[in-house]
Amino acid sequence: MTYATLFNSFLITGISLLMLKPFAHRMGLVDVPGGRKTHEKATPLIGGLGIFLGTLVMILFTPNVFHEYGALLALASLVLFVGLLDDAIELRVSVRMGAHGFAALVMATVADVKLESLGNLLGAGPVELGLLSVPLTVFATVGVINAVNMADGLDGLSGGLVLIALACIAAVAAVAGNFELLALSTILGCSLAAFLTMNFRLLWKKNALVYLGDAGSTMLGFMVAWILISESQGPDASFAPVFALWFLAVPLLDTVYLLIGRPLRKISPFTPGVDHLHHNLIRHGLSVKTTVMLLFATAAAFGTIGLIGYLMQVSETFMFLAFMVLFTLYVHVGQLLGQRTKASAG
């Protein structure tokens, strides 16, 4: 892998997005303003397709990486296709979840990428999953897919959080000498960065030119889940499973909080809503840009803690307990923001 490879992945993604943009309306891949949506004009939902094309082309020209991750790209294309259908015609939740579960099942049973151990979380030796390996892999993968998808509520938020996770993975890969993983994470990261340059609202660009869409967020979620699972298992693992929690902390914390909180309020966990952390922050007076940057800084801080723990060989038990403390604080902050919102509304 060379700097030219990374530049080309950025360039191909950018060109793909520009070329696909005129066809978005014909394909029905357009996000129309209205309801919970705050944008002012119809915006193409082609970010995921552009990112995939940029990544695919460059990995095809990197044979050792394609050999290692060809199956990942094949299944990611399935998740992408289902997402494109969802963006165009809005599939039922059961159909969408079923497709994601199928992709995760094939990943675990055919590609043999599955959770077999949770690592030494409790200080009494590795927690081996045994017969629970496949079902927990499916559950975890679908969970990560939805975590990334649920974070896709503000321009650049979901993509930026994934980019931070990929940067952490790339750093670990570099230290571990896993050059195939380093190539995959940096190529995908450069393709994602190209999308973000067209998605962020900047001083000279007040509106996003393209959106990630469900296709893009679910595809990225699946790819990150595959990477985190495959690289944290077996004797050649690049990192222990607990560090995956820190690399993707913000979307995971938000999703678990909603999966617990929504059913208690008799709301489906998969119903679109405005009870995410980023929505609460905006209701408390933060601008969209400030909210996004704050969450990026938070995700980067958590990822850095994970990297420091990895480099200093901090015990998995300590890192897990620290993450549980972090989740407790997150729940407290979420409840506090929610209570203040209700009080101001009343």
PDB file of all heavy atoms in Angstrom, residues 35-55:
ATOM      1  N   GLY A  35     -41.016  16.752   8.184  1.00  0.00           N
ATOM      2  CA  GLY A  35     -41.052  15.981   9.424  1.00  0.00           C
ATOM      3  C   GLY A  35     -39.899  16.336  10.341  1.00  0.00           C
ATOM      4  O   GLY A  35     -39.678  17.488  10.688  1.00  0.00           O
ATOM      5  N   ARG A  36     -39.136  15.293  10.750  1.00  0.00           N
ATOM      6  CA  ARG A  36     -38.011  15.499  11.665  1.00  0.00           C
ATOM      7  C   ARG A  36     -36.790  16.078  10.957  1.00  0.00           C
ATOM      8  O   ARG A  36     -35.814  16.458  11.586  1.00  0.00           O
ATOM      9  CB  ARG A  36     -37.603  14.157  12.299  1.00  0.00           C
ATOM     10  CG  ARG A  36     -38.672  13.512  13.162  1.00  0.00           C
ATOM     11  CD  ARG A  36     -38.209  12.158  13.693  1.00  0.00           C
ATOM     12  NE  ARG A  36     -37.963  11.214  12.610  1.00  0.00           N
ATOM     13  CZ  ARG A  36     -36.768  10.784  12.249  1.00  0.00           C
ATOM     14  NH1 ARG A  36     -35.690  11.247  12.830  1.00  0.00           N
ATOM     15  NH2 ARG A  36     -36.641   9.896  11.270  1.00  0.00           N
ATOM     16  N   LYS A  37     -36.805  16.140   9.625  1.00  0.00           N
ATOM     17  CA  LYS A  37     -35.627  16.519   8.854  1.00  0.00           C
ATOM     18  C   LYS A  37     -35.480  18.037   8.789  1.00  0.00           C
ATOM     19  O   LYS A  37     -36.450  18.755   8.556  1.00  0.00           O
ATOM     20  CB  LYS A  37     -35.728  15.919   7.450  1.00  0.00           C
ATOM     21  CG  LYS A  37     -35.830  14.387   7.493  1.00  0.00           C
ATOM     22  CD  LYS A  37     -36.236  13.794   6.167  1.00  0.00           C
ATOM     23  CE  LYS A  37     -36.422  12.290   6.276  1.00  0.00           C
ATOM     24  NZ  LYS A  37     -36.888  11.693   5.022  1.00  0.00           N
ATOM     25  N   THR A  38     -34.248  18.492   8.981  1.00  0.00           N
ATOM     26  CA  THR A  38     -34.002  19.929   9.081  1.00  0.00           C
ATOM     27  C   THR A  38     -33.394  20.528   7.827  1.00  0.00           C
ATOM     28  O   THR A  38     -33.242  21.745   7.750  1.00  0.00           O
ATOM     29  CB  THR A  38     -33.060  20.212  10.273  1.00  0.00           C
ATOM     30  OG1 THR A  38     -31.819  19.502  10.066  1.00  0.00           O
ATOM     31  CG2 THR A  38     -33.685  19.735  11.583  1.00  0.00           C
ATOM     32  N   HIS A  39     -33.027  19.706   6.839  1.00  0.00           N
ATOM     33  CA  HIS A  39     -32.424  20.270   5.642  1.00  0.00           C
ATOM     34  C   HIS A  39     -33.508  20.925   4.779  1.00  0.00           C
ATOM     35  O   HIS A  39     -34.693  20.629   4.912  1.00  0.00           O
ATOM     36  CB  HIS A  39     -31.657  19.206   4.854  1.00  0.00           C
ATOM     37  CG  HIS A  39     -32.468  18.002   4.488  1.00  0.00           C
ATOM     38  ND1 HIS A  39     -32.793  17.030   5.395  1.00  0.00           N
ATOM     39  CD2 HIS A  39     -33.008  17.603   3.310  1.00  0.00           C
ATOM     40  CE1 HIS A  39     -33.494  16.080   4.787  1.00  0.00           C
ATOM     41  NE2 HIS A  39     -33.652  16.411   3.524  1.00  0.00           N
ATOM     42  N   GLU A  40     -33.068  21.808   3.881  1.00  0.00           N
ATOM     43  CA  GLU A  40     -34.008  22.646   3.150  1.00  0.00           C
ATOM     44  C   GLU A  40     -34.282  22.189   1.726  1.00  0.00           C
ATOM     45  O   GLU A  40     -35.224  22.675   1.097  1.00  0.00           O
ATOM     46  CB  GLU A  40     -33.488  24.097   3.134  1.00  0.00           C
ATOM     47  CG  GLU A  40     -33.350  24.697   4.535  1.00  0.00           C
ATOM     48  CD  GLU A  40     -32.747  26.087   4.499  1.00  0.00           C
ATOM     49  OE1 GLU A  40     -32.331  26.524   3.388  1.00  0.00           O
ATOM     50  OE2 GLU A  40     -32.685  26.729   5.553  1.00  0.00           O
ATOM     51  N   LYS A  41     -33.470  21.291   1.184  1.00  0.00           N
ATOM     52  CA  LYS A  41     -33.713  20.841  -0.183  1.00  0.00           C
ATOM     53  C   LYS A  41     -33.428  19.351  -0.323  1.00  0.00           C
ATOM     54  O   LYS A  41     -32.721  18.766   0.504  1.00  0.00           O
ATOM     55  CB  LYS A  41     -32.842  21.639  -1.155  1.00  0.00           C
ATOM     56  CG  LYS A  41     -31.345  21.478  -0.950  1.00  0.00           C
ATOM     57  CD  LYS A  41     -30.575  22.294  -1.984  1.00  0.00           C
ATOM     58  CE  LYS A  41     -29.065  22.114  -1.826  1.00  0.00           C
ATOM     59  NZ  LYS A  41     -28.312  22.872  -2.842  1.00  0.00           N
ATOM     60  N   ALA A  42     -34.007  18.761  -1.360  1.00  0.00           N
ATOM     61  CA  ALA A  42     -33.813  17.334  -1.597  1.00  0.00           C
ATOM     62  C   ALA A  42     -32.332  17.039  -1.801  1.00  0.00           C
ATOM     63  O   ALA A  42     -31.657  17.708  -2.578  1.00  0.00           O
ATOM     64  CB  ALA A  42     -34.615  16.908  -2.831  1.00  0.00           C
ATOM     65  N   THR A  43     -31.831  16.021  -1.086  1.00  0.00           N
ATOM     66  CA  THR A  43     -30.404  15.704  -1.090  1.00  0.00           C
ATOM     67  C   THR A  43     -30.186  14.248  -1.458  1.00  0.00           C
ATOM     68  O   THR A  43     -30.829  13.354  -0.893  1.00  0.00           O
ATOM     69  CB  THR A  43     -29.792  15.984   0.299  1.00  0.00           C
ATOM     70  OG1 THR A  43     -30.106  17.329   0.697  1.00  0.00           O
ATOM     71  CG2 THR A  43     -28.285  15.805   0.263  1.00  0.00           C
ATOM     72  N   PRO A  44     -29.286  13.959  -2.405  1.00  0.00           N
ATOM     73  CA  PRO A  44     -29.031  12.586  -2.843  1.00  0.00           C
ATOM     74  C   PRO A  44     -28.512  11.690  -1.722  1.00  0.00           C
ATOM     75  O   PRO A  44     -27.660  12.112  -0.925  1.00  0.00           O
ATOM     76  CB  PRO A  44     -27.967  12.757  -3.933  1.00  0.00           C
ATOM     77  CG  PRO A  44     -28.144  14.152  -4.422  1.00  0.00           C
ATOM     78  CD  PRO A  44     -28.545  14.946  -3.214  1.00  0.00           C
ATOM     79  N   LEU A  45     -29.017  10.465  -1.672  1.00  0.00           N
ATOM     80  CA  LEU A  45     -28.610   9.483  -0.665  1.00  0.00           C
ATOM     81  C   LEU A  45     -27.631   8.480  -1.289  1.00  0.00           C
ATOM     82  O   LEU A  45     -27.894   7.273  -1.327  1.00  0.00           O
ATOM     83  CB  LEU A  45     -29.843   8.750  -0.128  1.00  0.00           C
ATOM     84  CG  LEU A  45     -30.858   9.618   0.611  1.00  0.00           C
ATOM     85  CD1 LEU A  45     -32.172   8.869   0.784  1.00  0.00           C
ATOM     86  CD2 LEU A  45     -30.307  10.025   1.970  1.00  0.00           C
ATOM     87  N   ILE A  46     -26.506   8.964  -1.769  1.00  0.00           N
ATOM     88  CA  ILE A  46     -25.589   8.121  -2.529  1.00  0.00           C
ATOM     89  C   ILE A  46     -24.218   8.001  -1.863  1.00  0.00           C
ATOM     90  O   ILE A  46     -23.297   7.431  -2.444  1.00  0.00           O
ATOM     91  CB  ILE A  46     -25.392   8.675  -3.954  1.00  0.00           C
ATOM     92  CG1 ILE A  46     -24.966  10.159  -3.890  1.00  0.00           C
ATOM     93  CG2 ILE A  46     -26.684   8.516  -4.769  1.00  0.00           C
ATOM     94  CD1 ILE A  46     -24.598  10.748  -5.232  1.00  0.00           C
ATOM     95  N   GLY A  47     -24.095   8.518  -0.637  1.00  0.00           N
ATOM     96  CA  GLY A  47     -22.799   8.482   0.033  1.00  0.00           C
ATOM     97  C   GLY A  47     -22.247   7.075   0.189  1.00  0.00           C
ATOM     98  O   GLY A  47     -21.064   6.820  -0.064  1.00  0.00           O
ATOM     99  N   GLY A  48     -23.093   6.153   0.614  1.00  0.00           N
ATOM    100  CA  GLY A  48     -22.643   4.778   0.826  1.00  0.00           C
ATOM    101  C   GLY A  48     -22.154   4.127  -0.453  1.00  0.00           C
ATOM    102  O   GLY A  48     -21.140   3.413  -0.450  1.00  0.00           O
ATOM    103  N   LEU A  49     -22.873   4.362  -1.542  1.00  0.00           N
ATOM    104  CA  LEU A  49     -22.491   3.775  -2.826  1.00  0.00           C
ATOM    105  C   LEU A  49     -21.144   4.320  -3.279  1.00  0.00           C
ATOM    106  O   LEU A  49     -20.280   3.565  -3.754  1.00  0.00           O
ATOM    107  CB  LEU A  49     -23.571   4.067  -3.868  1.00  0.00           C
ATOM    108  CG  LEU A  49     -23.411   3.416  -5.246  1.00  0.00           C
ATOM    109  CD1 LEU A  49     -23.282   1.907  -5.120  1.00  0.00           C
ATOM    110  CD2 LEU A  49     -24.598   3.768  -6.135  1.00  0.00           C
ATOM    111  N   GLY A  50     -20.926   5.619  -3.127  1.00  0.00           N
ATOM    112  CA  GLY A  50     -19.651   6.210  -3.519  1.00  0.00           C
ATOM    113  C   GLY A  50     -18.498   5.691  -2.684  1.00  0.00           C
ATOM    114  O   GLY A  50     -17.416   5.387  -3.208  1.00  0.00           O
ATOM    115  N   ILE A  51     -18.707   5.578  -1.370  1.00  0.00           N
ATOM    116  CA  ILE A  51     -17.664   5.054  -0.481  1.00  0.00           C
ATOM    117  C   ILE A  51     -17.318   3.624  -0.853  1.00  0.00           C
ATOM    118  O   ILE A  51     -16.131   3.240  -0.903  1.00  0.00           O
ATOM    119  CB  ILE A  51     -18.138   5.124   0.983  1.00  0.00           C
ATOM    120  CG1 ILE A  51     -18.255   6.580   1.439  1.00  0.00           C
ATOM    121  CG2 ILE A  51     -17.187   4.359   1.908  1.00  0.00           C
ATOM    122  CD1 ILE A  51     -18.971   6.749   2.764  1.00  0.00           C
ATOM    123  N   PHE A  52     -18.338   2.817  -1.133  1.00  0.00           N
ATOM    124  CA  PHE A  52     -18.087   1.419  -1.476  1.00  0.00           C
ATOM    125  C   PHE A  52     -17.299   1.306  -2.779  1.00  0.00           C
ATOM    126  O   PHE A  52     -16.359   0.503  -2.877  1.00  0.00           O
ATOM    127  CB  PHE A  52     -19.407   0.658  -1.600  1.00  0.00           C
ATOM    128  CG  PHE A  52     -19.231  -0.807  -1.891  1.00  0.00           C
ATOM    129  CD1 PHE A  52     -18.879  -1.691  -0.885  1.00  0.00           C
ATOM    130  CD2 PHE A  52     -19.411  -1.311  -3.185  1.00  0.00           C
ATOM    131  CE1 PHE A  52     -18.705  -3.036  -1.147  1.00  0.00           C
ATOM    132  CE2 PHE A  52     -19.242  -2.645  -3.456  1.00  0.00           C
ATOM    133  CZ  PHE A  52     -18.889  -3.519  -2.429  1.00  0.00           C
ATOM    134  N   LEU A  53     -17.658   2.096  -3.772  1.00  0.00           N
ATOM    135  CA  LEU A  53     -16.961   2.036  -5.058  1.00  0.00           C
ATOM    136  C   LEU A  53     -15.498   2.441  -4.913  1.00  0.00           C
ATOM    137  O   LEU A  53     -14.599   1.786  -5.457  1.00  0.00           O
ATOM    138  CB  LEU A  53     -17.660   2.932  -6.076  1.00  0.00           C
ATOM    139  CG  LEU A  53     -19.040   2.468  -6.558  1.00  0.00           C
ATOM    140  CD1 LEU A  53     -19.678   3.517  -7.456  1.00  0.00           C
ATOM    141  CD2 LEU A  53     -18.930   1.129  -7.290  1.00  0.00           C
ATOM    142  N   GLY A  54     -15.244   3.516  -4.174  1.00  0.00           N
ATOM    143  CA  GLY A  54     -13.871   3.956  -3.974  1.00  0.00           C
ATOM    144  C   GLY A  54     -13.041   2.922  -3.249  1.00  0.00           C
ATOM    145  O   GLY A  54     -11.872   2.680  -3.596  1.00  0.00           O
ATOM    146  N   THR A  55     -13.636   2.284  -2.241  1.00  0.00           N
ATOM    147  CA  THR A  55     -12.932   1.252  -1.470  1.00  0.00           C
ATOM    148  C   THR A  55     -12.714   0.000  -2.310  1.00  0.00           C
ATOM    149  O   THR A  55     -11.609  -0.574  -2.333  1.00  0.00           O
ATOM    150  CB  THR A  55     -13.743   0.901  -0.210  1.00  0.00           C
ATOM    151  OG1 THR A  55     -13.933   2.077   0.580  1.00  0.00           O
ATOM    152  CG2 THR A  55     -13.024  -0.154   0.618  1.00  0.00           C
TER     153      THR A  55
END
